[in-house]
């Protein structure tokens, strides 16, 4: 529960049958401090009990990588193939954040997609969300069996 309630919204899209709209809604719900406080209050008084405790499925590892995270983040023009090229050249969210337009083009992105990615990273806390999502993804992978 502690991990789930702090997941950035793109990671919710990795759950079967959850699309972008539901994933964004879940993410926005958990971003609200009042909702987090309500969860804390319920936990404190014992109103939340986790009864189905088992190891995550090994299937959780499928498609849980930085390239897929970039695709799930709905960045304009970023397809799986383009994301794989980008991650091959810039392995890690911080490397992507630190890169400039020319490095995106050198990684194989078309100029307009590279511009769109740079704009996306600069807007609305997307860069911070990408870093948080990569960190959460690593935590999930550490808990998932191989």
């Amino acid at each position: 529960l502690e991990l789930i309630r702090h997941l950035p919204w793109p990671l919710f899209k990795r759950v079967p049958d959850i699309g972008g709209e539901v994933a964004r809604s879940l993410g926005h719900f958990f971003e609200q401090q009042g909702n987090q406080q309500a969860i804390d209050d319920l936990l404190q008084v014992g109103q939340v009990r986790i009864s189905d405790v088992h190891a995550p499925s090994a299937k959780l590892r499928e498609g849980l990588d930085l390239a897929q995270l970039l695709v799930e983040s709905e960045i304009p023009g970023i397809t799986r193939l383009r994301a794989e090229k980008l991650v091959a050249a810039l392995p890690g969210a911080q490397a992507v954040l630190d890169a400039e337009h020319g490095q995106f083009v050198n990684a194989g992105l078309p100029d307009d997609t590279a511009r769109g990615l740079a704009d996306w990273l600069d807007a609305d806390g997307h860069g911070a969300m990408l870093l948080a999502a990569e960190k959460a993804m690593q935590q999930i992978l550490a808990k998932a069996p191989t």
Side-chain angles (χ1 to χ4, degrees), residues 33-117:
Q33 185 55 40
N35 293 335
Q36 290 291 340
Q37 186 61 52
I39 293 168
D40 288 339
D41 293 346
L42 289 169
L43 287 168
Q44 186 175 13
V45 296
Q47 293 300 311
V48 176
R49 292 181 194 90
I50 307 299
S51 61
D52 185 10
V53 180
H54 61 276
S57 168
K59 289 183 178 183
L60 187 59
R61 295 182 158 283
E62 296 172 15
L64 199 57
D65 56 51
L66 181 57
Q68 191 62 38
L69 179 59
L70 290 166
V71 173
E72 301 292 7
S73 296
E74 301 176 358
I75 304 165
I78 298 295
T79 62
R80 177 68 190 193
L81 181 59
R82 289 176 177 170
E84 287 172 353
K85 288 180 181 181
L86 184 64
V87 171
L90 301 165
Q94 189 64 56
V96 173
L97 284 172
D98 293 341
E100 297 181 9
H101 173 267
Q103 290 171 283
F104 298 150
V105 172
N106 288 341
L109 297 185
D111 186 66
D112 61 331
T113 301
R115 239 181 286 114
L117 173 58

